[in-house]
Amino acid sequence: MSWFEYRNQVLCAESVSLAHIAKEVGTPLYCYSTAALKANYEEFVDAFRDRDVLIAYSVKANANQAVIATLSACGAGADVVSGGELQRALAAGVPGSRIVFSGVGKTFEELNYAINKKIFLINAESKSEIIEIEKIAKSKKRIIDIGIRLNPNTDAKTINQISTGKKEDKFGLTEKTFIELVKYAKNSKYVNLKCLSVHIGSQIVNNLPYEKMLKVIDRVIKKSNHKFEFVDLGGGIGIAYHNKTKKLNYKKYSISISKFLKNHNSKIIFEPGRSIIGDTGILISKIIYIKKTKSKDFIILDSAMNDLMRPALYGSNHKIIPVIKKGGSSKKTYEFVGPICESTDKFLTSKNFQKLKEKDLIIICDVGAYGMSLSSNYNVRPNPIEILIKGSKINIIKKRQKLIDLI
Ligand code: PLP
């Protein structure tokens, strides 16, 4: 949270007071820092710069046009998983030559669109998908570059809902099917197999799963007897949501990749999402009511699970802090909740919080990734406004949705 700092007891994003922003544009509001976004991207580039890499920002983490455009201007490509994300990436200025299309269920229309746009790579996840690509390629008299996604049966040691690389997960292909499909693709007149791709899960903070994954890839490539020009390692790099959790050690990961590359002369693709955008965004909310009960005080916010789904969906905890820090020793335990008619509409229980009153502003931290992108209109609640700060400039990057648009 270094781009979000208290100055004279007021939390600021870069050089703008968040109390000021909330007054200007209302709440709830998502606010991102350009400096943080660029710093995260540069940190990633730096960590892996001693080899040939394509860093394809995973658009699903946050698909705001301004976010994609900012990263594209820094040199990032895009990892997309739908025709919609692909259109957004292109509209934000990402060149097709830096776009990777992932996902288990790409439709004929989506594949056709991607092929028309001559994107860099389509990572296929089944024989049926490859056959669909071949049909389109044949009709256009072209040869399409593809990757095939391996399911390395590696436990990412993250929460179950965001694990994608175990054999029971729907993603990728088992070693046996992968090798069969390599043979199939090598004999095809319409596809050029240039990549092996994997993605084992998200919010990975321990290096061991990546080390295991690289060992599996090493073995499978040797078995497949195919020279892959690219190896796409996916994303999944975790961030420190709390002081207790550490983020992934980039240096260690980079060393493991170097070891792997001693046996394989491939270029590396990364598809990071959370590690680039996660800690660059916050959600500012206002307290509607404080409801005191015998056992606890509920802080009822004007943001809810439709604005930030992660706590309800995965039980994830996001730190909550006040916009204005108050002195004094009076501390309380609060349960921060939204106004939605679901008991899962709960963000956090926080002990030793400064005493709050109705209409106070609070911040839900580290919501840049899978915050707005997972939002919905449940309970017919319009989506929040999104702001991107750059120094002292406040840029509205998405207007607050109007109720009239939903009716
Ligand atoms: N690549 C693929 C194929 C994914 O499915 C995901 C996330 O689900 C990502 C990349 C991005 O993951 P993360 O945001 O954890 O880096």
Side-chain angles (χ1 to χ4, degrees):
M1 288 276 293
S2 58
W3 309 102
F4 299 98
E5 273 178 354
Y6 285 99
R7 291 203 199 113
N8 298 325
Q9 310 291 83
V10 181
L11 194 69
C12 297
E14 301 194 25
S15 43
V16 186
S17 141
L18 293 175
H20 169 72
I21 301 176
K23 198 166 164 215
E24 287 289 303
V25 303
T27 56
L29 86 101
Y30 272 99
C31 171
Y32 312 99
S33 152
T34 307
L37 192 57
K38 288 185 175 173
N40 283 347
Y41 181 73
E42 287 310 322
E43 188 189 357
F44 202 98
V45 171
D46 268 358
F48 301 101
R49 76 158 69 251
D50 55 353
R51 64 190 63 87
D52 207 346
V53 291
L54 167 66
I55 300 171
Y57 165 65
S58 194
V59 169
K60 67 168 75 68
N62 187 317
N64 189 288
Q65 291 302 115
V67 168
I68 307 170
T70 303
L71 291 168
S72 172
C74 296
D79 157 52
V80 300
V81 289
S82 70
E85 284 190 359
L86 174 53
Q87 287 199 35
R88 272 187 173 242
L90 289 166
V94 184
S97 59
R98 282 196 249 139
I99 299 181
V100 178
F101 196 176
S102 314
V104 283
K106 306 175 199 77
T107 64
F108 178 87
E109 290 74 19
E110 288 175 319
L111 290 168
N112 194 42
Y113 180 73
I115 289 169
N116 280 341
K117 292 293 170 189
K118 300 195 163 72
I119 67 163
F120 176 62
L121 186 68
I122 299 172
N123 280 330
E125 298 213 21
S126 61
K127 184 167 182 184
S128 303
E129 187 183 341
I130 298 178
I131 291 170
E132 206 76 331
I133 295 169
E134 286 180 300
K135 268 189 228 158
I136 302 168
K138 188 175 177 190
S139 72
K140 296 183 194 299
K141 298 191 175 60
R142 282 181 49 199
I143 298 170
I144 306 302
D145 288 334
I146 65 160
I148 303 180
R149 180 164 170 179
L150 171 73
N151 180 325
N153 193 19
T154 308
D155 188 347
K157 299 278 180 215
T158 181
I159 53 174
N160 262 343
Q161 296 96 320
I162 51 176
S163 163
T164 56
K166 288 188 281 182
K167 66 176 188 307
E168 58 269 31
D169 298 325
K170 70 178 172 186
F171 305 97
L173 297 153
T174 60
E175 193 172 318
K176 184 169 170 281
T177 319
F178 179 90
I179 288 170
E180 282 164 15
L181 275 189
V182 169
K183 275 189 203 138
Y184 177 86
K186 277 165 83 167
N187 290 323
S188 167
K189 284 194 279 182
Y190 301 107
V191 293
N192 169 36
L193 177 58
K194 66 173 185 182
C195 182
L196 174 153
S197 84
V198 285
H199 172 77
I200 58 171
S202 200
Q203 186 50 18
I204 300 168
V205 290
N206 186 326
N207 288 76
L208 205 61
Y210 283 126
E211 285 163 19
K212 286 189 178 163
M213 172 191 92
L214 285 165
K215 277 191 189 144
V216 177
I217 301 175
D218 174 65
R219 189 185 68 230
V220 173
I221 292 183
K222 282 175 183 156
K223 260 194 189 170
S224 75
N225 201 21
H226 181 67
K227 159 96 189 70
F228 289 93
E229 190 184 346
F230 290 87
V231 172
D232 180 344
L233 298 175
I237 292 150
I239 62 168
Y241 282 107
H242 292 277
N243 304 340
K244 276 181 271 166
T245 44
K246 52 179 176 46
K247 62 183 219 180
L248 186 94
N249 185 328
Y250 281 4
K251 198 161 176 207
K252 246 173 130 181
Y253 190 20
S254 179
I255 291 170
S256 315
I257 294 170
S258 295
K259 270 192 205 155
F260 164 82
L261 288 176
K262 278 191 185 145
N263 293 329
H264 306 280
N265 186 20
S266 304
K267 289 171 215 153
I268 296 291
I269 301 171
F270 290 108
E271 300 170 355
R274 188 188 311 271
S275 51
I276 304 293
I277 184 79
D279 65 358
T280 73
I282 55 173
L283 178 60
I284 310 177
S285 310
K286 190 185 268 179
I287 300 171
I288 309 176
Y289 299 121
I290 298 181
K291 188 171 166 183
K292 294 175 196 281
T293 69
K294 258 191 182 163
S295 57
K296 53 188 165 188
D297 287 2
F298 289 101
I299 301 293
I300 302 168
L301 301 172
D302 63 358
S303 59
M305 63 190 277
N306 72 299
D307 305 308
L308 177 65
M309 185 70 168
R310 294 190 73 252
L313 194 62
Y314 311 132
S316 46
N317 289 325
H318 287 264
K319 207 162 49 183
I320 296 184
I321 55 175
V323 169
I324 299 175
K325 244 190 202 169
K326 289 179 201 148
S329 56
S330 172
K331 302 277 184 215
K332 301 265 301 177
T333 295
Y334 289 126
E335 188 161 316
F336 291 89
V337 299
I340 280 185
C341 304
E342 301 278 346
S343 296
T344 49
D345 185 24
K346 171 186 160 175
F347 293 115
L348 190 75
T349 301
S350 189
K351 289 180 182 158
N352 295 320
F353 209 92
Q354 74 178 35
K355 204 157 180 238
L356 292 168
K357 58 181 190 339
E358 292 176 356
K359 304 212 167 31
D360 277 354
L361 296 168
I362 61 92
I363 304 286
I364 307 181
C365 300
D366 304 320
V367 296
Y370 308 103
M372 189 64 174
S373 64
L374 277 174
S375 68
S376 76
N377 293 121
Y378 186 42
N379 278 195
V380 195
R381 291 172 51 88
N383 288 149
I385 188 171
E386 288 178 282
I387 304 280
L388 180 62
I389 302 294
K390 191 173 185 189
S392 57
K393 255 189 105 189
I394 303 173
N395 299 305
I396 296 179
I397 56 171
K398 186 139 185 231
K399 287 186 188 154
R400 185 180 302 287
Q401 207 172 24
K402 292 198 175 89
L403 250 185
I404 193 79
D405 300 330
L406 301 179
I407 296 167

